[in-house]
Amino acid sequence: MRSFTYERASSPAEAAAAAMRTEGARFIAGGTNLLDLMKLEIETPTHLIDVNGLALDKIETTTEGGLRIGALVRNTDLAADERVRRDYGLLSRALLAGASGQLRNKATTAGNLLQRTRCPYFYDTNQPCNKRQPGSGCAAIGGFTRPLAVIGTSDACIATHPSDMAVAMRALDATVETVRSDGTVRGIPIAEFHRLPGDTPHIETTLVPGELITAVTLPKPVGGKHIYRKVRDRASYAFALVSVGAIVQRDGTGRVALGGVAHRPWRVEAADAEMPRGAKAVAERLLAGARPTDENAFKLPLVERTLGAVLAEAKG
């Protein structure tokens, strides 16, 4: 691990300003992803800004009837919150499907959204990776692709986004609240937060330099049956080959988002309208334009079968 300087911020605006003052600065909270990447010298920040003392660890009801989740709320606390379990069961189930109890005790809401891909070539510094070193190439293309993306890919990157929580947030139409270095705040719809790789896969979100996530807001509950199903190689502590997060209403309508198939949580709103017609119709709309490899083409029928199991469960 390379040497770095460190400071504790006293307010969100100060943290954002500090990040702009120092080139190569990064925010740190739980550190469950960042510290691992620093040890491997994939991430090499020159300065760490500790945001743990910013009192962003509350879950509050909004005036619109939704929930405002502070950026520093730990995954364990969020999954266990009575309001989340009652009204946003999809989110609670997705969180509990991720990582391990020890990691969930440390991992934060903002950090979960920002975690980086688990593509094996991203972690192997002996291999070219456009996400790790822009312009170096993508060793995954033509390499081992079984766990990688089948849709929303580019000629520069076929990595997947690893977060379970983000899939639920996408289905729930969350909004990411931030503060910039000049003190201005904004809300970013979760649909616009994560970027597709294009020619710049190293730019993973729409955050600008120095911008700090302060909270994630959920709209008023929509009811229905909330189901999160994760298909993986091991029963625990493994990332999704395919995951399905769905909210299904009594009349068969609803919403669905996928994990494990794209560079960001994958939702196509037009596919939601197909839910009364069944899993095949939804999967066809969700995966239109997919470009799988020979090794991960199995993900296409796996999405349909997993979605079929979710819809069957929703019907009781």
Side-chain angles (χ1 to χ4, degrees):
M1 184 184 291
R2 301 185 187 184
S3 60
F4 56 87
T5 53
Y6 170 89
E7 71 173 290
R8 291 178 179 170
S10 60
S11 72
E14 180 189 297
M20 287 298 291
R21 283 197 303 268
T22 307
E23 186 176 355
R26 291 291 305 273
F27 304 118
I28 187 167
T32 55
N33 189 202
L34 178 60
L35 291 177
D36 284 343
L37 295 175
M38 288 174 65
K39 292 173 184 177
L40 294 170
E41 295 194 0
I42 294 170
E43 293 272 7
T44 56
T46 60
H47 185 65
L48 290 184
I49 303 165
D50 189 335
V51 297
N52 281 295
L54 301 187
L56 300 175
D57 57 352
K58 305 293 190 300
I59 304 174
E60 303 167 309
T61 303
T62 66
T63 56
E64 293 79 16
L67 282 184
R68 186 176 187 272
I69 303 161
L72 296 176
V73 172
R74 307 293 162 166
N75 287 178
T76 296
D77 296 331
L78 183 57
D81 186 88
E82 181 181 353
R83 294 161 294 183
V84 174
R85 294 175 62 190
R86 181 187 65 230
D87 298 327
Y88 306 95
L90 175 57
L91 177 56
S92 183
R93 291 177 174 88
L95 285 163
L96 293 173
S100 65
Q102 295 94 326
L103 285 171
R104 291 194 295 269
N105 288 342
K106 291 293 292 181
T108 63
T109 300
N112 197 310
L113 289 176
L114 294 172
Q115 63 181 300
R116 306 202 69 187
T117 185
R118 264 57 179 193
C119 174
Y121 296 99
F122 174 74
Y123 275 81
D124 185 351
T125 55
N126 292 312
Q127 299 289 336
C129 172
N130 289 318
K131 187 178 284 293
R132 176 172 23 85
Q133 186 177 355
S136 63
C138 176
I141 297 176
F144 175 68
T145 59
R146 182 174 180 271
L148 301 180
V150 295
I151 194 164
T153 59
S154 73
D155 292 337
C157 183
I158 57 173
T160 56
H161 194 277
S163 172
D164 293 291
M165 185 195 80
V167 176
M169 293 290 194
R170 182 67 181 88
L172 291 166
D173 286 330
T175 298
V176 181
E177 297 180 13
T178 69
V179 61
R180 300 188 187 187
S181 58
D182 61 0
T184 58
V185 299
R186 66 167 173 158
I188 309 170
I190 191 72
E192 301 170 9
F193 183 76
H194 295 102
R195 292 166 47 107
L196 290 178
D199 296 328
T200 56
H202 61 291
I203 304 175
E204 297 170 341
T205 71
T206 54
L207 295 174
V208 300
E211 192 168 11
L212 174 71
I213 297 174
T214 54
V216 177
T217 302
L218 301 178
K220 185 178 179 180
V222 295
K225 197 142 199 181
H226 291 223
I227 301 171
Y228 188 76
R229 183 163 294 205
K230 181 177 181 179
V231 182
R232 45 188 164 175
D233 287 325
R234 298 189 302 273
S236 65
Y237 203 63
F239 296 99
L241 291 171
V242 162
S243 64
V244 174
I247 302 172
V248 187
Q249 305 295 340
R250 286 178 178 268
D251 61 0
T253 61
R255 309 173 181 179
V256 62
L258 303 178
V261 299
H263 197 258
R264 65 185 183 192
W266 193 255
R267 183 179 173 199
V268 178
E269 277 78 356
D272 295 346
E274 303 290 341
M275 289 185 70
R277 296 181 57 205
K280 183 176 179 62
V282 178
E284 286 178 351
R285 186 63 68 94
L286 278 170
L287 299 174
R291 298 196 305 170
T293 68
D294 291 341
E295 290 182 352
N296 66 17
F298 73 92
K299 289 191 176 189
L300 304 187
L302 186 58
V303 166
E304 182 180 337
R305 292 169 187 164
T306 306
L307 181 57
V310 165
L311 294 180
E313 180 181 345
K315 292 177 182 177

